[in-house]
Amino acid sequence: MTCFITPSDIPVKKQPGVYRSRMSVYPAAANKHHKRYGDVAEKVVALALPILKKNLDLPPGLKIRLASMKGQWNGRYNAAAKTAVVDYIGSKKTVLEMLCHELVHAEQYHQGRLENRRVAGKWVSYWNGQKVRAAYRERPYEKEAYDRQVLLADMVINTVGLERWCSI
């Protein structure tokens, strides 16, 4: 799984900075469900992104990649590439919450509250200047992202309206 926009990714029309993996675009026999999920995820991003940009302090040049993320991750943010990768396979609500979660991380890095530094050949996370040593869900930046993803997702759904949200 790459946290960068790849040459095979396809830009989403009328959504600058949003890309879909090739697998989510073309309805080959083996991946018809990928295209269907990709289409829904694209609509979720189209509705949510303008609202999230108004409510989060995001870095300029932010990119979003919708890609299948086989394995344990549903999303990932790469601060160096300013790219949030969101798994498009899942419910609308799951895609929305993962988008919100990764954009909270984008804000954390952009504001300098979260940093990754290379120390003795290993990547180490720092939260507000303090080295973080905790289980994944106990890390302060993850706690904030999980708490805010629910609030932001609910805000998006309330802002666009339940009828419009359900029509995706």
Side-chain angles (χ1 to χ4, degrees):
M1 190 287 304
T2 181
C3 286
F4 300 94
I5 304 303
T6 68
S8 65
D9 289 339
I10 295 149
V12 173
K13 291 179 184 173
K14 299 182 183 176
Q15 291 191 60
V18 179
Y19 299 82
R20 283 175 60 175
S21 69
R22 185 170 297 279
M23 183 178 273
S24 75
V25 176
Y26 297 110
N31 70 357
K32 285 182 183 173
H33 72 283
H34 282 268
K35 180 171 183 341
R36 186 173 59 250
Y37 279 118
D39 291 346
V40 169
E42 183 179 314
K43 291 174 185 174
V44 168
V45 171
L47 282 177
L49 198 53
I51 297 162
L52 295 172
K53 283 182 175 180
K54 288 179 184 173
N55 288 279
L56 292 167
D57 181 16
L58 298 173
L62 173 75
K63 294 177 275 314
I64 296 168
R65 181 175 189 251
L66 299 170
S68 176
M69 298 181 69
K70 301 169 185 116
Q72 69 184 49
W73 305 102
N74 289 326
R76 203 85 197 249
Y77 181 73
N78 183 306
K82 295 182 184 177
T83 302
V85 183
V86 176
D87 193 340
Y88 59 81
I89 296 180
S91 69
K92 294 182 289 191
K93 182 84 179 231
T94 299
V95 171
L96 176 59
E97 285 184 354
M98 285 302 98
L99 175 66
C100 293
H101 183 100
E102 297 311 322
L103 294 186
V104 168
H105 287 315
E107 178 183 72
Q108 292 167 340
Y109 279 105
H110 180 62
Q111 293 176 341
R113 295 183 296 136
L114 177 58
E115 293 179 71
N116 283 326
R117 300 181 202 158
R118 199 140 175 96
V119 178
K122 294 185 179 182
W123 287 103
V124 178
S125 295
Y126 288 81
W127 178 249
N128 293 322
Q130 301 294 314
K131 190 176 190 177
V132 176
R133 288 187 179 167
Y136 173 76
R137 289 298 289 256
E138 296 303 314
R139 297 172 188 165
Y141 49 90
E142 290 299 340
K143 283 182 173 184
E144 179 183 328
Y146 278 105
D147 290 345
R148 290 181 66 198
Q149 81 182 30
V150 174
L151 297 172
L152 289 165
D154 288 345
M155 180 194 65
V156 167
I157 293 168
N158 291 333
T159 302
V160 300
L162 197 55
E163 186 175 302
R164 190 168 174 204
W165 172 255
C166 290
S167 70
I168 293 178

